[in-house]
Amino acid sequence: QVQLVESGGGLVQAGGSLRVSCAASGRTISNYAMGWFRQAPGKEREFVAGIGWTGTTPAYADSVKGRFTISRDTAKNTVYLQMNSLKPEDTAVYYCATASRGYTDSSSSSRDYDYWGQGTQVTVSS
């Protein structure tokens, strides 16, 4: 079965950096778009970044554009989210997800993803 395992979250001061990882098994990420979403307390889950199946079409939410970078290592079947210039409003549980259909660009809609990781907490202190 498909499993996604996130890691790398933690506590960081505002202006700092973190890199979170998502190791996939049971599905080859080079054939599927991957996405990162986040959910803060009391808020709905929101799209953060996505990368298409070719690995060449990253997409970002306006709130993170220029600060976050999504990438992947197909040899490790792992997707990364590099987060720089972190702000307290970036505090959330971060989830990775894999698209339900292969060979597509990434989508900002959670409905287009069928497998999700358990999430990793990112806390940014002011």
Side-chain angles (χ1 to χ4, degrees), residues 14 22-23 74 81 102:
C22 172
T74 56
L81 184 68

Short mmCIF file of all heavy atoms in Angstrom, two decimals, residues 14 22-23 74 81 102:
data_model
loop_
_atom_site.label_atom_id
_atom_site.label_comp_id
_atom_site.label_asym_id
_atom_site.label_seq_id
_atom_site.Cartn_x
_atom_site.Cartn_y
_atom_site.Cartn_z
N ALA A 14 11.38 33.10 14.14
CA ALA A 14 11.00 33.85 12.93
C ALA A 14 12.25 34.27 12.17
O ALA A 14 13.25 34.70 12.78
CB ALA A 14 10.17 35.06 13.32
N CYS A 22 9.32 14.17 2.85
CA CYS A 22 8.20 13.23 2.72
C CYS A 22 8.71 12.02 1.94
O CYS A 22 8.93 12.10 0.73
CB CYS A 22 7.04 13.89 1.99
SG CYS A 22 5.70 12.77 1.56
N ALA A 23 8.90 10.92 2.65
CA ALA A 23 9.37 9.69 2.03
C ALA A 23 8.17 8.84 1.62
O ALA A 23 7.31 8.54 2.46
CB ALA A 23 10.25 8.92 2.99
N THR A 74 14.04 11.60 -6.96
CA THR A 74 13.36 10.39 -7.42
C THR A 74 14.12 9.12 -7.02
O THR A 74 13.49 8.08 -6.84
CB THR A 74 13.16 10.43 -8.94
OG1 THR A 74 14.43 10.61 -9.57
CG2 THR A 74 12.22 11.56 -9.34
N LEU A 81 10.33 20.11 1.19
CA LEU A 81 9.85 21.48 1.21
C LEU A 81 10.85 22.29 2.03
O LEU A 81 10.94 22.12 3.25
CB LEU A 81 8.45 21.58 1.83
CG LEU A 81 7.83 22.97 1.81
CD1 LEU A 81 7.52 23.39 0.36
CD2 LEU A 81 6.55 23.02 2.65
N GLY A 102 -2.01 9.61 -12.12
CA GLY A 102 -0.63 9.78 -12.54
C GLY A 102 -0.50 10.72 -13.72
O GLY A 102 -1.48 11.05 -14.39
#
